[in-house]
Each structure stands twice: as C-alpha cells, then as structure tokens.
Amino acid sequence: MHKKRKTGFAFQMIQFMLFFLYAVVMLVVGGGAGTLAMSYVGIAFFGVAAIYLIFALIGRKYAWADIVTMIISIPFLAGVIFGIFGLLGSIFTRQGLKADADELAAQAEESALGSICGETEQAAVRGEEETSKNADFSEPAAEANAQEDAGAKPMKQAILDRKCETISVVSESGQTIEIHKVDYIYSGVRGSEELYTIVELKEDPSSVYILVYDEKTDKLFPTETEVAEKVFAEWKEKIGEEGKRSKLVLDLYDTIVHKKEWKEFRRSATQEELAVLAIGSKYRLSGAKFFVKAVVSVIGVILSVVLGITLFSQFGLFSLFILVGGYLFFNLMASKLVGYSDTYSSCNRKLSKEYRAFVNSLFRENAAVVIFREIVLLALMIFTLPYKFLLVIIETLIPSTHNWTVAHGGEAGAVISIPKGYDVGGLGEIGAYYASCSFEDAWDKHIEEYEKARLAKFSKYEYTDQYGVKREAYSDDGKNFFTSTDKLTQVGTSSDDGKTIDLK
C-alpha cells in the first residue's frame, strides 16, 4: 500500500473521531442542560460520523468513496481543524490509490515488454529445476495428470511442480540466470493451447516476465509483446478470481456461556478446538462489519434513550418499550463485540506457536486498522460499563435472573463464535440453555421464591374467639396475629410468643 494511502486513512480516522467526540459532547451537554436542540445536533453528528466511517473504509480501495468523504468534510472547514483532517485524508488517499494504480500499470507494461537480461526474443533457454527440500504440498488432480504427461521433461515438471520455486536458465551465450517462478497458466492466445510461466528475476523482484514453454525442445522462450500482454491479463484475471474464492467466508453463530464453563472447557480443549474458536472470534473482529456494528450499537443505544424519553409524553408506555428494548438490544451488540476480543485473546494465549501462526495467516490486516480497532474496543468497553452495572443491580435484586444476565452481555458471560452446524466442546448447547432463560420466567421464579420465603416465616397458632370457637391465627413475629398470611385482618397481639393472644 502506498504511504499516502496510509497517511490519508489515518487522517480520515482522526476526522471520524472528531465527529464522534463532538456528537458525544453535544448529547451530554444537551441532556444535562435539558436542551433538545443540542441533543438533536449530537444525534445528527452521530449519523455523520457513521456515514463518514463507512465511506472512509470503502475509500481504501475505491477512489469514488473518497470524493464522498471530501464532500462531507468541506462544509465543516469553517471550524478549520474540524474539517481539515477529513479533507487532507481524502486527498492523500486518492493520491495513494492513483500512485498504486500507476505502479501496477508500469509493472504490467514492463513485464509484458521486457526481455530477460537484455537477451533477444529469439534467445532460447534451457532450465534445470531447484526444489525446496522440505516442501510438502498436495496437488489437484489436473496438475497431477499434467505432471504425468510431462514424462521425462525436467523443464515442464519444474513449471508444473508447485514445490519448485526457483529455476536456473542458461541462455545461448552461456549466461546462467536464476529466476523465481511466480505461477503458470495455460492460454490459447496464439491459437493453440500453450503453457506459459510467470517469473521474476531474483535480482529484480519488482518486475515479472512472461515465458512460453516449447513442448518439443523442453525449453522456455520469451514471448512477443502482444502475446505477453494478453497472457498477463489472463493471469491477473485468474489470480483475481482465485483471490475471491480464497477469501475467508465463514457462516457462524454466536453463543454466550458462563465464564466458569468457558474456563473449564479451555483446560481440556485441544489445539484444533481452540484454533476453530480463535478463527471464529477473529473473523467477527475483522473487516468493515466490525466498525459498522460498533457505530450502529453506540448510535442505537443513544437514540433508544433519547427517543424513549422525548416521546414518553406523547406515547407513554410504548416509548418505554423503545427505550428498554433498544437499550438492551444495542448494548448486547456492543458487549458481544468486546466479548469477541476477550475470547480471541484467551484462545490465542493457549495456542501453540504453529497454530497461532496458522490463525494469523488467515487474516491480513493493516497495522493502522488493528490499532484503531483496539481503540474502538476500549471505547466500547467503557461505553457498556453502565449497562453491565445495571445488569449487576438486576441480578443482585433478582438472583434468579443470573442466567438471563449472562446471555444478555453480563460481565460473567463469554461470547463464543462457532461454525453453523457444529458444536465445540458442548459450548453451543450450553449457550442455547442460557439463551432460553427469559426475564419473565426469572421474574416468576423470583416471586415464587419470595412467596415461599415469606410464608416460611409464619407460624400457625390456635386461639378461642369471643364465642368460644377455636380458630387459627398466623404470625411471623410472635407478637402480631392475623387471620391469614396476607396480614389483612388482625386477630390480636401477644406478649408471650403466642401462648396467650389478646383479641383485638
């Protein structure tokens, strides 16, 4: 990536943080002063920050998105610093994208037009392969068949062999040249299907060259400029399609278990199981979706509170559903993002060096993005503290809601991402149990337990009323006596723990 792209993206992230912090300040100040106008401005800036972040992330690959971020920044140039970072970021990112494109174009042109070490296009070269001693790769069936067809042709074997990375070629002048084999491709640009290899010089790895294989002589020859251009274009298209196919796409489901069960699982978990869970958590943290969810969760929480309060006078109970439902849903979303990071870290610590390297090899990320993600995670952790504290209060007052708070982002929960259709260590089943625990059931259980505890305090006594009829009375302190445990009608009092009851 060109340095200007990195610099531009860094400026854009600073601009995003300025939008975000300004929105927070306006909401806090507006809420404290009771000024709805300032609160609405804060909400509007949250929207601007979210839109800006989305287009900034898209702009890392597509120049048109940087025009959008530039347009967003220009109206705020009145505040100088407030909009200048966004404008600079858009300019630098666009220049970086153009520089990268120019560099790729120049490289493609050089590879298509160049000939190795100044040799003429008719100079034949013969090759001897050098293979890596400890390489062990499995080949597709088509490549294996091609290897068999190669027979005793060492050059063709070297081209088709994925284990072979280096080829030594000797020109007609007797000069030996070490070339690195990048890839090969079959193409019919000259009418018949021919084998081409893409190579680069060890002395100049910045340029690639196209050579054609001759079946009769088992030699490589430079190609004509026009042919090289067409083959190079086909190869670029091929690796582009393979890159799309090889892009990691996972279908995951989230489950939340208690940290005690999570710790017990980690004690006996295999390296393969830990690697699967680490990959799932890392996948959730990678890409633009993470940042989009982070922004949506924060804006969702704030909007739920603001709308729930401001609409209460007009919609009453319905506005409370918006406030409570939105507050729980979006806080759970933010809590899960933080939970992914905690799970990945705990798995990563238990992985061996080899498995850790394997997991990391699946995710290639820019250092700036990693740092920014850590900042966002820290901000989310702080942002969700009031929510987690509220869950602690609920669990303290209503102990039967313990499982419900675990499943809804409580501090005692661990967020696990597992491939759909599978379970790892029974965590999916355990998480399903926690997810099935509803607040309504917990509340009913709490009322039931409270009633049992209340009734357990009552003792039954006998007394004779004014008509000489024996009756039953109930008391929970031995002093005040009632006709039933609901304590609605008092019978009398006693000073000797119910041995004698003085009727009222």
Side-chain angles (χ1 to χ4, degrees), residues 240-305:
E241 292 175 354
E242 290 178 349
K244 291 178 182 178
R245 288 196 299 267
S246 62
K247 183 180 179 181
L248 186 63
V249 178
L250 300 178
D251 192 9
L252 306 171
Y253 70 95
D254 293 335
T255 186
I256 303 180
V257 302
H258 198 283
K259 286 184 177 178
K260 289 182 179 179
E261 283 112 1
W262 172 233
K263 290 178 180 178
E264 290 176 2
F265 164 78
R266 291 205 321 267
R267 292 192 189 101
S268 58
T270 64
Q271 288 289 297
E272 289 79 7
E273 290 174 329
L274 291 172
V276 168
L277 298 182
I279 292 170
S281 298
K282 187 71 172 178
Y283 183 80
R284 293 294 200 194
L285 294 169
S286 300
K289 286 185 178 180
F290 166 80
F291 296 102
V292 172
K293 285 185 177 181
V295 173
V296 170
S297 63
V298 172
I299 295 177
V301 170
I302 296 172
L303 283 177
S304 299
V305 174

Side-chain angles (χ1 to χ4, degrees), residues 195-208:
L195 175 61
Y196 295 86
T197 182
I198 297 89
V199 300
E200 62 184 20
L201 296 178
K202 286 191 172 182
E203 297 80 4
D204 184 20
S206 62
S207 301
V208 296

Side-chain angles (χ1 to χ4, degrees), residues 164-178:
C164 177
E165 297 180 354
T166 305
I167 298 176
S168 297
V169 296
V170 181
S171 67
E172 288 184 339
S173 62
Q175 183 181 7
T176 302
I177 306 167
E178 295 289 331

